[in-house]
Amino acid sequence: MSGDVRQRYLMVIDGEQVEGGGGFRPVINPAVNKELTQVAVANREDVDRAVAAARKAFTGDWAKFGPVERSRVLLKFSDLIRENTDELARLETLNVGKAIAGAKAEVRGAANELEFFASHTRLTGETLPGSGSMFSYTTRQPVGVCAAIVPWNFPILMAAWKIGPALAAGCTLVLKPATATPLTAIRLAELALEAGIPPGVLNVVVGPGTEVGAYLVSHPGVDKVAFTGETTTGREIMKMAADGIKRVTLELGGKSPNVIFDDADLEGAAAASVWAIYYNAGQTCEARSRLIIHEKVYDKFLDLFTEKARKVRIGDPLDPETQVGSLVSTSQWQRVDGYVKSGLEEGAKLLCGGRRPEGLPEPYAQGAFYEPTVLADVGIKMRVAQEEIFGPVVTATPFKDEAEAIALANDVIYGLAGTVFTRDGARAQRVARSIKAGTVGINTPFISFPGIPFGGFKQSGIGRERASQTLDQYTETHTILINISDRIYNP
Ligand code: NAD
């Protein structure tokens, strides 16, 4: 089943494959709950080496790459990702348990991301008039060495979201994938070298967040931290970055609302809403995990939704027809199941799911599969309505009018995404603008594309990825003031 998967994966530091001082740890395939391969783990000296290599490349070889050269190698890097789609998607599926169709789309998404940033390597400044004989101009300088720390739910995609802008801006990186899902990050660093990106520009270190990740974030050689992960971890990262006043961008958790008005195309909205929660088994930061439904259509919409949720094809992640694979680990399975139980204890009604699917063939019977689940009649203060479950579980809550819908949508600490379904154009605008979230879709569950800013309000994060404005987060504005009179200007 694991075919071309290597027996061991090494880290990439300064262009070399490195065993590291932390030994090896098993990488698990969660769909079969068995070891897939082994990966090298870093110790502190390895992190020091990676940061030093990134620093050397930043002021050395990489600094010689102008905008055109950076664009050229980014495009080559993107092409290599496309050429290796089958291998990368298969690795992602075997390591994360996700359905191969989604994994292929995510690999293409990673290539698209680099392509987008390849067209944003010319960082221009401004010419600004001052008073009297003074004028000034600004340039944008790369911020330096970036620590990029990414989660396990979209390993290759989240890595590309950070590599693209960092390289476009002329920065170098030390990338730390999640401990459980390091394989495609390692392959990305190898492909970067093949694309002609100099050694030391993209390094990958592997290891536990609280040790390797925390050491990297606190490292005096790191200028900026770009983090994606849980809100609780984001808080720790901010504290650790405070000592060095490091630049920090955070893409954190979500509990995104999906508001359905009574005039919506209910059939279409139900299909879209099923995708918006169950894609990647609900392990998606922008998962629309809270259905907020007008009371007039509450029962009808839930009937439509539940019928479709029951038909989601769950099983063999390598089968191209599969829509939902397994969760990332048995511990994530326990966490999700614990939330469902807590919802039921608090009075929610289980409409479907809430268990392991029956009759999965070998070798998947021991895998971390969880049925698409609907919890209805959920009050906004219940834990399942407030906390990020990060699994295939949606909650449903009725509303009476527009004001209540908006209040329910906003009554959480998160603000990453949202969707509004209605045929009333003015209402769609009013409600979308009132939802405190980074991105709100109107009559579409798709809310994230290259070029469109993505990020969170409130405790869902700081900064925006995927867009031209992202480059502001990887650059410093440098201002030069010029006195053009023939005398020294001395106020
Ligand atoms: P996590 O916070 O546990 O881990 C994320 C990364 O941080 C991992 O690489 C981990 O090893 C590292 N880490 C953990 N503790 C650390 C520490 N003290 N110092 C430095 N690094 C540390 O998150 P996860 O469980 O891997 O991922 C799921 C979370 O990611 C969810 O909350 C999800 O919403 C969020 N997410 C957000 C976005 C977004 O764009 N907003 C995208 C994907 C995932």
Side-chain angles (χ1 to χ4, degrees):
M1 163 180 301
S2 340
D4 46 1
V5 177
R6 298 175 196 163
Q7 280 183 343
R8 301 194 323 175
Y9 283 78
L10 304 185
M11 297 180 288
V12 179
I13 298 176
D14 206 8
E16 286 174 10
Q17 297 201 324
V18 172
E19 277 200 13
F24 280 82
R25 57 169 284 144
V27 177
I28 306 297
N29 175 349
V32 296
N33 201 17
K34 289 212 169 87
E35 184 173 315
L36 174 67
T37 180
Q38 296 258 331
V39 69
V41 175
N43 62 11
R44 289 185 169 206
E45 286 72 43
D46 299 317
V47 176
D48 291 340
R49 273 187 63 197
V51 173
R55 176 65 57 197
K56 191 169 114 235
F58 177 64
T59 51
D61 289 345
W62 190 229
K64 295 179 198 140
F65 280 60
V68 174
E69 291 82 19
R70 292 203 301 277
S71 177
R72 188 184 301 140
V73 289
L74 270 167
L75 288 174
K76 176 77 182 152
F77 190 7
S78 166
D79 286 346
L80 285 171
I81 292 173
R82 277 186 219 289
E83 281 167 28
N84 289 279
T85 299
D86 287 348
E87 182 227 355
L88 292 166
R90 200 176 139 74
L91 267 189
E92 202 85 315
T93 286
L94 291 171
N95 190 183
V96 186
K98 60 174 69 208
I100 189 83
K104 283 191 179 171
E106 289 154 26
V107 173
R108 287 193 294 273
N112 291 345
E113 201 72 11
L114 298 186
E115 219 159 45
F116 172 78
F117 281 105
S119 63
H120 284 74
T121 54
R122 277 189 73 238
L123 301 170
T124 53
E126 292 176 296
T127 309
L128 302 160
S131 54
S133 61
M134 305 292 281
F135 95 100
S136 69
Y137 66 87
T138 62
T139 59
R140 310 244 309 277
Q141 300 191 351
V143 79
V145 173
C146 304
I149 302 193
V150 296
W152 47 257
N153 60 337
F154 294 115
I156 195 167
L157 206 52
M158 294 301 102
W161 286 17
K162 308 219 176 322
I163 294 169
L167 297 193
C171 297
T172 56
L173 293 108
V174 179
L175 169 67
K176 197 204 83 64
T179 325
T181 58
L183 306 184
T184 47
I186 289 173
R187 287 291 293 126
L188 280 182
E190 293 172 358
L191 292 175
L193 291 166
E194 212 178 311
I197 293 172
V201 174
L202 172 55
N203 308 276
V204 173
V205 295
V206 176
T210 45
E211 292 160 34
V212 174
Y215 185 67
L216 177 61
V217 170
S218 312
H219 202 290
V222 166
D223 302 299
K224 179 207 158 71
V225 183
F227 172 78
T228 299
E230 286 192 14
T231 294
T232 47
T233 319
R235 270 188 214 115
E236 293 306 311
I237 302 266
M238 272 188 100
K239 287 180 201 157
M240 287 188 280
D243 278 344
I245 316 286
K246 290 178 185 162
R247 279 74 188 124
V248 180
T249 43
L250 303 171
E251 297 288 354
L252 308 176
K255 191 73 187 171
S256 299
N258 194 354
V259 182
I260 293 105
F261 282 93
D262 51 335
D263 66 343
D265 161 7
L266 294 185
E267 180 72 38
S273 305
V274 162
W275 182 88
I277 175 65
Y278 300 127
Y279 183 79
N280 204 35
Q283 302 166 122
T284 309
C285 54
E286 82 268 26
R288 264 43 56 75
S289 51
R290 293 186 296 135
L291 294 169
I292 297 173
I293 311 164
H294 193 279
E295 60 183 10
K296 269 201 222 153
V297 295
Y298 183 75
D299 290 332
K300 185 170 177 203
F301 183 82
L302 280 179
D303 284 347
L304 286 169
F305 184 97
T306 307
E307 189 196 326
K308 292 181 198 308
R310 286 204 180 98
K311 286 189 187 149
V312 167
R313 289 190 298 276
I314 180 167
D316 178 0
L318 289 168
D319 180 342
E321 296 299 313
T322 294
Q323 292 171 316
V324 171
S326 83
L327 304 188
V328 74
S329 61
T330 44
S331 61
Q332 188 66 10
W333 195 101
Q334 300 291 353
R335 173 190 154 118
V336 169
D337 195 53
Y339 269 112
V340 172
K341 291 200 167 83
S342 122
L344 297 178
E345 277 160 24
E346 284 191 276
K349 194 169 145 199
L350 183 69
L351 298 188
C352 69
R355 58 179 186 180
R356 188 184 293 282
E358 282 173 2
L360 281 178
E362 285 303 337
Y364 299 112
Q366 302 309 313
F369 295 87
Y370 204 89
E371 276 188 4
T373 300
V374 181
L375 292 176
D377 305 348
V378 168
I380 185 66
K381 295 301 175 198
M382 290 185 190
R383 271 185 71 211
V384 286
Q386 290 290 323
E387 296 176 20
E388 187 181 41
I389 299 175
F390 225 55
V393 180
V394 77
T395 63
T397 305
F399 70 85
K400 284 191 186 58
D401 55 25
E402 202 176 296
E404 190 183 15
I406 293 166
L408 288 168
N410 288 332
D411 196 3
V412 287
I413 61 165
Y414 298 107
L416 191 58
T419 308
V420 183
F421 290 100
T422 174
R423 287 191 170 101
D424 178 335
R427 175 160 64 194
Q429 290 290 330
R430 276 197 308 275
V431 176
R433 288 176 191 210
S434 305
I435 294 179
K436 303 283 175 234
T439 313
V440 182
I442 295 174
N443 292 326
T444 171
F446 298 101
I447 54 150
S448 189
F449 300 92
I452 310 283
F454 184 85
F457 280 31
K458 303 196 281 185
Q459 294 192 33
S460 285
I462 298 174
R464 295 290 179 271
E465 296 196 296
R466 316 208 68 188
S468 45
Q469 64 174 252
T470 307
L471 290 160
D472 295 344
Q473 295 153 192
Y474 288 84
T475 50
E476 295 282 13
T477 298
H478 196 215
T479 307
I480 306 293
L481 265 168
I482 304 157
N483 166 22
I484 55 166
S485 84
D486 57 1
R487 292 170 174 199
I488 301 283
Y489 176 74
N490 184 354

